[in-house]
Amino acid sequence: MSAAALDVPIDREQIRTALETDGILGCRQAFSRAWVEQLREDVEAAFEEARSREGGAVGRGPNRYYVEIHPEALRGFVDLVDHPWVRAVCETVLGPAYTIVEVGFDIPFAGAVNQPWHRDFPSPRETTEEHRLTSLAFNVTCVDTAEDMGPFEVAPGTHWDPGTHFEHGMFPARSDYPRFEERAVRKYPQMGDISARSALTVHRGTRNDSALSRPVLVLGVDAPGAGNDEKHDLAVTRACWDRLPPRVRDHLACPVVDQLTPITQKHTIEGLVMGEA
């Protein structure tokens, strides 16, 4: 285990139960604060690069952005994906042949408003018919989250909602909001904390009344055959691939290239609807 990764308890039965029941699970102090400070530096540098070109960042509501990046943009990528807790969650829920399909980040700035309640993509057949989760999203906060910074809000248990009446399979009608608001739980992660959730669990970012941004790293992971890799453009250079531990390479099915191409964001439907928030 790297010096950046802190020792945390791992209970696979608790992991399975929490993600099956609530659709979200947190792990406190999985990383050192110094590692998170480095992560924030990398995220902020990647955001500046993305904003400098067309399609580099997608709006997800006023003063809120999402950016997908390549693993090499993060000096701590291996520390993250090879953390024992992250591996344990992936193996427990998705099986030993899981695949890393997405690395990115959300940043709500001052003035960001409540997002519409949503899930990140339509529920797949395996979930609606077989009651099986085929993907996970890990979130790592880059700051200590306070009440006025627009904390993440989630409606536990809603990952099992079929969502057949959701717009684009993702956005419930506003007439459904009272049900989500009744269940709603706000999360206040601190630097070093990490969470895992089903991206199908209905959630939203809330209004940022502070003067600070709240960057959050996103790591997307699939079970075999889930197909979310088709929505992303993850790639690594040959030099990076050669440096990766075999245990990490085993979970990367992305192209290995001589030179990275900057990613043009694909979250067009979500960006459009979020802009109406």
Side-chain angles (χ1 to χ4, degrees), residues 9 14-15 27 45 47 60 85 95 98 113 134 145 155 157-158 162 165 176-178 187 194 235 268-269 271 277:
Q14 179 200 29
I15 288 168
C27 179
F47 182 70
R60 301 185 75 181
W85 189 82
Y98 65 86
V113 302
T134 62
T145 308
T158 52
H165 63 292
D176 290 335
Y177 280 19
K187 300 295 184 179
I194 184 171
T268 51
I269 291 176

Side-chain angles (χ1 to χ4, degrees), residues 109-144:
F109 289 90
V113 302
N114 285 342
Q115 291 180 313
W117 288 102
H118 65 283
R119 56 180 35 153
D120 290 343
F121 43 78
S123 185
R125 180 193 60 78
E126 291 87 349
T127 301
T128 56
E129 297 181 11
E130 301 175 17
H131 206 71
R132 178 165 62 89
L133 296 178
T134 62
S135 65
L136 292 172
F138 292 86
N139 290 151
V140 183
T141 179
C142 295
V143 296
D144 291 329

Side-chain angles (χ1 to χ4, degrees), residues 171-232:
F171 297 91
R174 291 187 181 273
S175 59
D176 290 335
Y177 280 19
R179 181 166 69 92
F180 302 121
E181 288 163 359
E182 183 179 351
R183 297 188 182 196
V185 176
R186 289 194 172 191
K187 300 295 184 179
Y188 303 95
Q190 304 297 292
M191 291 171 62
D193 297 349
I194 184 171
S195 66
R197 61 183 171 88
S198 166
L200 303 176
T201 309
V202 176
H203 62 278
R204 66 179 178 178
T206 61
R207 190 176 70 214
N208 187 353
D209 291 323
S210 76
L212 305 172
S213 64
R214 187 180 60 81
V216 178
L217 187 77
V218 180
L219 176 72
V221 187
D222 269 5
N228 290 305
D229 54 326
E230 299 172 1
K231 307 170 188 173
H232 303 287

